[in-house]
Amino acid sequence: MLAQAKNFARNTFLAGVFAAIPLVITVFVLWYVDHLTREPLKELFGIDVPFAGVGLALVGIFALGLVVRSLIGRYLLAAIDRLLLKVPVLAEVYKAWKQISLTPGGSSGIYSKVVLVRLDGDAWHLAFTSGEPIGAGSDAVCVFVPTTPNPMVGRVLFVPLSRCRPTALAVEEVFKFLLSGGNYVPDEVAAATQSDRAISNLPPQPAA
């Protein structure tokens, strides 16, 4: 009875912690943006409305998203990418950052493709991969299997290509699925379990 009570208390506490983490992070980000922008808005425009800076930040992010998704925006991003890759010293730092950054629709790095991986038994695991073999003559690829509800934590594994199944999922969709704890399951997941295509033939994942 005592062991069961301890397990119940521990699991309940951990459930509370995991539920509180996204809420605390959201509140902190809102407070920080408001604290950072409220005084400049008051001095420049005479606006002293709580969280006005948050609203402007959201509008700015949305506008940036429109620019990035446009033809001109993609051209500018490609030009900036080529430029940064030619700058001494900075180029190496930029290459390393591209390998770990989350870039929707990117063509390189561990987040460029979303796959389902069969690790043991009949279970499938959502994973990210570049789809590139780990070495010459090898049929194994490196995959990152994230956990829920924190998709930035997980396991890095080397698995045969035959154990991977491609999906048409965008990276953002996978993050939404993981953060929901499985309450939201994209339709593409079911379709991917029936797929026999090789991930090497897949284009980069689309942006949501």
PDB file of all heavy atoms in Angstrom, residues 53-80:
ATOM      1  N   GLY A  53       2.723  45.513 -26.712  1.00  0.00           N
ATOM      2  CA  GLY A  53       3.926  45.023 -27.376  1.00  0.00           C
ATOM      3  C   GLY A  53       3.792  43.581 -27.820  1.00  0.00           C
ATOM      4  O   GLY A  53       4.338  43.186 -28.862  1.00  0.00           O
ATOM      5  N   VAL A  54       3.069  42.784 -27.033  1.00  0.00           N
ATOM      6  CA  VAL A  54       2.843  41.384 -27.399  1.00  0.00           C
ATOM      7  C   VAL A  54       2.039  41.303 -28.688  1.00  0.00           C
ATOM      8  O   VAL A  54       2.346  40.520 -29.595  1.00  0.00           O
ATOM      9  CB  VAL A  54       2.117  40.630 -26.259  1.00  0.00           C
ATOM     10  CG1 VAL A  54       1.796  39.208 -26.682  1.00  0.00           C
ATOM     11  CG2 VAL A  54       2.968  40.629 -25.002  1.00  0.00           C
ATOM     12  N   GLY A  55       0.997  42.145 -28.777  1.00  0.00           N
ATOM     13  CA  GLY A  55       0.187  42.169 -29.987  1.00  0.00           C
ATOM     14  C   GLY A  55       0.995  42.591 -31.206  1.00  0.00           C
ATOM     15  O   GLY A  55       0.889  41.981 -32.282  1.00  0.00           O
ATOM     16  N   LEU A  56       1.835  43.609 -31.039  1.00  0.00           N
ATOM     17  CA  LEU A  56       2.683  44.060 -32.146  1.00  0.00           C
ATOM     18  C   LEU A  56       3.691  42.990 -32.536  1.00  0.00           C
ATOM     19  O   LEU A  56       3.998  42.810 -33.728  1.00  0.00           O
ATOM     20  CB  LEU A  56       3.414  45.348 -31.753  1.00  0.00           C
ATOM     21  CG  LEU A  56       2.551  46.613 -31.663  1.00  0.00           C
ATOM     22  CD1 LEU A  56       3.385  47.790 -31.172  1.00  0.00           C
ATOM     23  CD2 LEU A  56       1.936  46.931 -33.026  1.00  0.00           C
ATOM     24  N   ALA A  57       4.215  42.272 -31.533  1.00  0.00           N
ATOM     25  CA  ALA A  57       5.171  41.192 -31.819  1.00  0.00           C
ATOM     26  C   ALA A  57       4.507  40.089 -32.632  1.00  0.00           C
ATOM     27  O   ALA A  57       5.100  39.556 -33.581  1.00  0.00           O
ATOM     28  CB  ALA A  57       5.739  40.631 -30.519  1.00  0.00           C
ATOM     29  N   LEU A  58       3.276  39.742 -32.277  1.00  0.00           N
ATOM     30  CA  LEU A  58       2.556  38.707 -33.019  1.00  0.00           C
ATOM     31  C   LEU A  58       2.281  39.147 -34.459  1.00  0.00           C
ATOM     32  O   LEU A  58       2.422  38.348 -35.393  1.00  0.00           O
ATOM     33  CB  LEU A  58       1.236  38.385 -32.307  1.00  0.00           C
ATOM     34  CG  LEU A  58       1.365  37.699 -30.937  1.00  0.00           C
ATOM     35  CD1 LEU A  58      -0.013  37.531 -30.293  1.00  0.00           C
ATOM     36  CD2 LEU A  58       2.034  36.339 -31.076  1.00  0.00           C
ATOM     37  N   VAL A  59       1.907  40.410 -34.607  1.00  0.00           N
ATOM     38  CA  VAL A  59       1.677  40.939 -35.959  1.00  0.00           C
ATOM     39  C   VAL A  59       2.978  40.916 -36.759  1.00  0.00           C
ATOM     40  O   VAL A  59       2.996  40.554 -37.941  1.00  0.00           O
ATOM     41  CB  VAL A  59       1.102  42.367 -35.889  1.00  0.00           C
ATOM     42  CG1 VAL A  59       1.063  42.999 -37.284  1.00  0.00           C
ATOM     43  CG2 VAL A  59      -0.292  42.354 -35.283  1.00  0.00           C
ATOM     44  N   GLY A  60       4.081  41.285 -36.105  1.00  0.00           N
ATOM     45  CA  GLY A  60       5.373  41.282 -36.784  1.00  0.00           C
ATOM     46  C   GLY A  60       5.804  39.889 -37.199  1.00  0.00           C
ATOM     47  O   GLY A  60       6.321  39.693 -38.310  1.00  0.00           O
ATOM     48  N   ILE A  61       5.593  38.911 -36.322  1.00  0.00           N
ATOM     49  CA  ILE A  61       5.951  37.527 -36.648  1.00  0.00           C
ATOM     50  C   ILE A  61       5.106  37.022 -37.813  1.00  0.00           C
ATOM     51  O   ILE A  61       5.600  36.329 -38.717  1.00  0.00           O
ATOM     52  CB  ILE A  61       5.772  36.627 -35.413  1.00  0.00           C
ATOM     53  CG1 ILE A  61       6.806  37.000 -34.350  1.00  0.00           C
ATOM     54  CG2 ILE A  61       5.904  35.152 -35.783  1.00  0.00           C
ATOM     55  CD1 ILE A  61       6.606  36.298 -33.022  1.00  0.00           C
ATOM     56  N   PHE A  62       3.799  37.356 -37.803  1.00  0.00           N
ATOM     57  CA  PHE A  62       2.921  36.941 -38.892  1.00  0.00           C
ATOM     58  C   PHE A  62       3.367  37.569 -40.213  1.00  0.00           C
ATOM     59  O   PHE A  62       3.402  36.905 -41.258  1.00  0.00           O
ATOM     60  CB  PHE A  62       1.481  37.343 -38.576  1.00  0.00           C
ATOM     61  CG  PHE A  62       0.490  36.928 -39.629  1.00  0.00           C
ATOM     62  CD1 PHE A  62       0.055  35.616 -39.708  1.00  0.00           C
ATOM     63  CD2 PHE A  62      -0.004  37.851 -40.547  1.00  0.00           C
ATOM     64  CE1 PHE A  62      -0.856  35.226 -40.672  1.00  0.00           C
ATOM     65  CE2 PHE A  62      -0.913  37.470 -41.516  1.00  0.00           C
ATOM     66  CZ  PHE A  62      -1.333  36.154 -41.577  1.00  0.00           C
ATOM     67  N   ALA A  63       3.724  38.861 -40.159  1.00  0.00           N
ATOM     68  CA  ALA A  63       4.184  39.547 -41.369  1.00  0.00           C
ATOM     69  C   ALA A  63       5.480  38.930 -41.879  1.00  0.00           C
ATOM     70  O   ALA A  63       5.664  38.744 -43.087  1.00  0.00           O
ATOM     71  CB  ALA A  63       4.386  41.035 -41.078  1.00  0.00           C
ATOM     72  N   LEU A  64       6.377  38.574 -40.952  1.00  0.00           N
ATOM     73  CA  LEU A  64       7.627  37.932 -41.343  1.00  0.00           C
ATOM     74  C   LEU A  64       7.348  36.583 -41.994  1.00  0.00           C
ATOM     75  O   LEU A  64       7.997  36.211 -42.983  1.00  0.00           O
ATOM     76  CB  LEU A  64       8.528  37.757 -40.126  1.00  0.00           C
ATOM     77  CG  LEU A  64       9.889  37.095 -40.377  1.00  0.00           C
ATOM     78  CD1 LEU A  64      10.713  37.920 -41.357  1.00  0.00           C
ATOM     79  CD2 LEU A  64      10.640  36.893 -39.067  1.00  0.00           C
ATOM     80  N   GLY A  65       6.378  35.853 -41.452  1.00  0.00           N
ATOM     81  CA  GLY A  65       6.005  34.566 -42.035  1.00  0.00           C
ATOM     82  C   GLY A  65       5.485  34.725 -43.454  1.00  0.00           C
ATOM     83  O   GLY A  65       5.800  33.914 -44.335  1.00  0.00           O
ATOM     84  N   LEU A  66       4.687  35.789 -43.701  1.00  0.00           N
ATOM     85  CA  LEU A  66       4.190  36.048 -45.048  1.00  0.00           C
ATOM     86  C   LEU A  66       5.335  36.341 -46.010  1.00  0.00           C
ATOM     87  O   LEU A  66       5.340  35.868 -47.154  1.00  0.00           O
ATOM     88  CB  LEU A  66       3.222  37.231 -45.024  1.00  0.00           C
ATOM     89  CG  LEU A  66       1.869  37.002 -44.336  1.00  0.00           C
ATOM     90  CD1 LEU A  66       1.063  38.292 -44.330  1.00  0.00           C
ATOM     91  CD2 LEU A  66       1.090  35.892 -45.037  1.00  0.00           C
ATOM     92  N   VAL A  67       6.304  37.112 -45.536  1.00  0.00           N
ATOM     93  CA  VAL A  67       7.454  37.450 -46.383  1.00  0.00           C
ATOM     94  C   VAL A  67       8.276  36.207 -46.699  1.00  0.00           C
ATOM     95  O   VAL A  67       8.670  35.965 -47.849  1.00  0.00           O
ATOM     96  CB  VAL A  67       8.335  38.514 -45.705  1.00  0.00           C
ATOM     97  CG1 VAL A  67       9.623  38.730 -46.491  1.00  0.00           C
ATOM     98  CG2 VAL A  67       7.576  39.826 -45.570  1.00  0.00           C
ATOM     99  N   VAL A  68       8.530  35.383 -45.660  1.00  0.00           N
ATOM    100  CA  VAL A  68       9.354  34.182 -45.832  1.00  0.00           C
ATOM    101  C   VAL A  68       8.709  33.202 -46.796  1.00  0.00           C
ATOM    102  O   VAL A  68       9.386  32.544 -47.593  1.00  0.00           O
ATOM    103  CB  VAL A  68       9.610  33.517 -44.463  1.00  0.00           C
ATOM    104  CG1 VAL A  68      10.230  32.131 -44.637  1.00  0.00           C
ATOM    105  CG2 VAL A  68      10.526  34.388 -43.621  1.00  0.00           C
ATOM    106  N   ARG A  69       7.384  33.105 -46.762  1.00  0.00           N
ATOM    107  CA  ARG A  69       6.682  32.144 -47.609  1.00  0.00           C
ATOM    108  C   ARG A  69       6.455  32.664 -49.028  1.00  0.00           C
ATOM    109  O   ARG A  69       6.038  31.907 -49.897  1.00  0.00           O
ATOM    110  CB  ARG A  69       5.341  31.765 -46.975  1.00  0.00           C
ATOM    111  CG  ARG A  69       5.485  31.067 -45.634  1.00  0.00           C
ATOM    112  CD  ARG A  69       4.181  30.544 -45.115  1.00  0.00           C
ATOM    113  NE  ARG A  69       3.603  29.549 -46.009  1.00  0.00           N
ATOM    114  CZ  ARG A  69       2.779  28.594 -45.616  1.00  0.00           C
ATOM    115  NH1 ARG A  69       2.460  28.489 -44.347  1.00  0.00           N
ATOM    116  NH2 ARG A  69       2.256  27.746 -46.472  1.00  0.00           N
ATOM    117  N   SER A  70       6.713  33.916 -49.242  1.00  0.00           N
ATOM    118  CA  SER A  70       6.551  34.472 -50.586  1.00  0.00           C
ATOM    119  C   SER A  70       7.750  34.118 -51.447  1.00  0.00           C
ATOM    120  O   SER A  70       8.811  33.736 -50.955  1.00  0.00           O
ATOM    121  CB  SER A  70       6.382  35.989 -50.520  1.00  0.00           C
ATOM    122  OG  SER A  70       7.603  36.603 -50.119  1.00  0.00           O
ATOM    123  N   LEU A  71       7.588  34.278 -52.751  1.00  0.00           N
ATOM    124  CA  LEU A  71       8.671  33.971 -53.692  1.00  0.00           C
ATOM    125  C   LEU A  71       9.871  34.881 -53.459  1.00  0.00           C
ATOM    126  O   LEU A  71      11.023  34.427 -53.453  1.00  0.00           O
ATOM    127  CB  LEU A  71       8.166  34.124 -55.132  1.00  0.00           C
ATOM    128  CG  LEU A  71       9.160  33.758 -56.240  1.00  0.00           C
ATOM    129  CD1 LEU A  71       9.582  32.301 -56.110  1.00  0.00           C
ATOM    130  CD2 LEU A  71       8.554  34.019 -57.605  1.00  0.00           C
ATOM    131  N   ILE A  72       9.595  36.159 -53.230  1.00  0.00           N
ATOM    132  CA  ILE A  72      10.682  37.117 -52.994  1.00  0.00           C
ATOM    133  C   ILE A  72      11.403  36.784 -51.685  1.00  0.00           C
ATOM    134  O   ILE A  72      12.638  36.832 -51.596  1.00  0.00           O
ATOM    135  CB  ILE A  72      10.136  38.550 -52.960  1.00  0.00           C
ATOM    136  CG1 ILE A  72       9.550  38.924 -54.322  1.00  0.00           C
ATOM    137  CG2 ILE A  72      11.217  39.531 -52.548  1.00  0.00           C
ATOM    138  CD1 ILE A  72       8.914  40.299 -54.355  1.00  0.00           C
ATOM    139  N   GLY A  73      10.615  36.436 -50.654  1.00  0.00           N
ATOM    140  CA  GLY A  73      11.205  36.094 -49.368  1.00  0.00           C
ATOM    141  C   GLY A  73      12.112  34.880 -49.456  1.00  0.00           C
ATOM    142  O   GLY A  73      13.207  34.858 -48.873  1.00  0.00           O
ATOM    143  N   ARG A  74      11.672  33.856 -50.183  1.00  0.00           N
ATOM    144  CA  ARG A  74      12.499  32.656 -50.355  1.00  0.00           C
ATOM    145  C   ARG A  74      13.791  32.994 -51.100  1.00  0.00           C
ATOM    146  O   ARG A  74      14.860  32.463 -50.793  1.00  0.00           O
ATOM    147  CB  ARG A  74      11.711  31.585 -51.102  1.00  0.00           C
ATOM    148  CG  ARG A  74      10.557  30.994 -50.304  1.00  0.00           C
ATOM    149  CD  ARG A  74       9.781  29.976 -51.119  1.00  0.00           C
ATOM    150  NE  ARG A  74       8.622  29.496 -50.393  1.00  0.00           N
ATOM    151  CZ  ARG A  74       8.642  28.473 -49.547  1.00  0.00           C
ATOM    152  NH1 ARG A  74       9.774  27.843 -49.319  1.00  0.00           N
ATOM    153  NH2 ARG A  74       7.543  28.079 -48.931  1.00  0.00           N
ATOM    154  N   TYR A  75      13.679  33.882 -52.085  1.00  0.00           N
ATOM    155  CA  TYR A  75      14.866  34.281 -52.841  1.00  0.00           C
ATOM    156  C   TYR A  75      15.852  35.025 -51.931  1.00  0.00           C
ATOM    157  O   TYR A  75      17.065  34.769 -51.971  1.00  0.00           O
ATOM    158  CB  TYR A  75      14.463  35.174 -54.015  1.00  0.00           C
ATOM    159  CG  TYR A  75      15.635  35.712 -54.800  1.00  0.00           C
ATOM    160  CD1 TYR A  75      16.290  34.921 -55.743  1.00  0.00           C
ATOM    161  CD2 TYR A  75      16.094  37.017 -54.576  1.00  0.00           C
ATOM    162  CE1 TYR A  75      17.372  35.422 -56.458  1.00  0.00           C
ATOM    163  CE2 TYR A  75      17.173  37.521 -55.288  1.00  0.00           C
ATOM    164  CZ  TYR A  75      17.812  36.715 -56.218  1.00  0.00           C
ATOM    165  OH  TYR A  75      18.881  37.200 -56.913  1.00  0.00           O
ATOM    166  N   LEU A  76      15.335  35.933 -51.103  1.00  0.00           N
ATOM    167  CA  LEU A  76      16.197  36.685 -50.190  1.00  0.00           C
ATOM    168  C   LEU A  76      16.861  35.764 -49.165  1.00  0.00           C
ATOM    169  O   LEU A  76      18.046  35.910 -48.858  1.00  0.00           O
ATOM    170  CB  LEU A  76      15.381  37.755 -49.470  1.00  0.00           C
ATOM    171  CG  LEU A  76      14.916  38.938 -50.323  1.00  0.00           C
ATOM    172  CD1 LEU A  76      14.026  39.862 -49.511  1.00  0.00           C
ATOM    173  CD2 LEU A  76      16.120  39.708 -50.856  1.00  0.00           C
ATOM    174  N   LEU A  77      16.085  34.794 -48.621  1.00  0.00           N
ATOM    175  CA  LEU A  77      16.653  33.853 -47.657  1.00  0.00           C
ATOM    176  C   LEU A  77      17.749  33.017 -48.295  1.00  0.00           C
ATOM    177  O   LEU A  77      18.788  32.742 -47.674  1.00  0.00           O
ATOM    178  CB  LEU A  77      15.560  32.951 -47.088  1.00  0.00           C
ATOM    179  CG  LEU A  77      14.589  33.594 -46.099  1.00  0.00           C
ATOM    180  CD1 LEU A  77      13.524  32.593 -45.682  1.00  0.00           C
ATOM    181  CD2 LEU A  77      15.334  34.102 -44.870  1.00  0.00           C
ATOM    182  N   ALA A  78      17.534  32.590 -49.541  1.00  0.00           N
ATOM    183  CA  ALA A  78      18.549  31.808 -50.244  1.00  0.00           C
ATOM    184  C   ALA A  78      19.802  32.638 -50.480  1.00  0.00           C
ATOM    185  O   ALA A  78      20.930  32.141 -50.349  1.00  0.00           O
ATOM    186  CB  ALA A  78      17.991  31.300 -51.567  1.00  0.00           C
ATOM    187  N   ALA A  79      19.619  33.933 -50.815  1.00  0.00           N
ATOM    188  CA  ALA A  79      20.765  34.815 -51.036  1.00  0.00           C
ATOM    189  C   ALA A  79      21.546  35.037 -49.741  1.00  0.00           C
ATOM    190  O   ALA A  79      22.785  35.007 -49.734  1.00  0.00           O
ATOM    191  CB  ALA A  79      20.286  36.157 -51.602  1.00  0.00           C
ATOM    192  N   ILE A  80      20.825  35.235 -48.632  1.00  0.00           N
ATOM    193  CA  ILE A  80      21.484  35.406 -47.340  1.00  0.00           C
ATOM    194  C   ILE A  80      22.223  34.134 -46.936  1.00  0.00           C
ATOM    195  O   ILE A  80      23.337  34.181 -46.403  1.00  0.00           O
ATOM    196  CB  ILE A  80      20.442  35.796 -46.270  1.00  0.00           C
ATOM    197  CG1 ILE A  80      19.872  37.179 -46.563  1.00  0.00           C
ATOM    198  CG2 ILE A  80      21.066  35.773 -44.867  1.00  0.00           C
ATOM    199  CD1 ILE A  80      18.712  37.573 -45.673  1.00  0.00           C
TER     200      ILE A  80
END
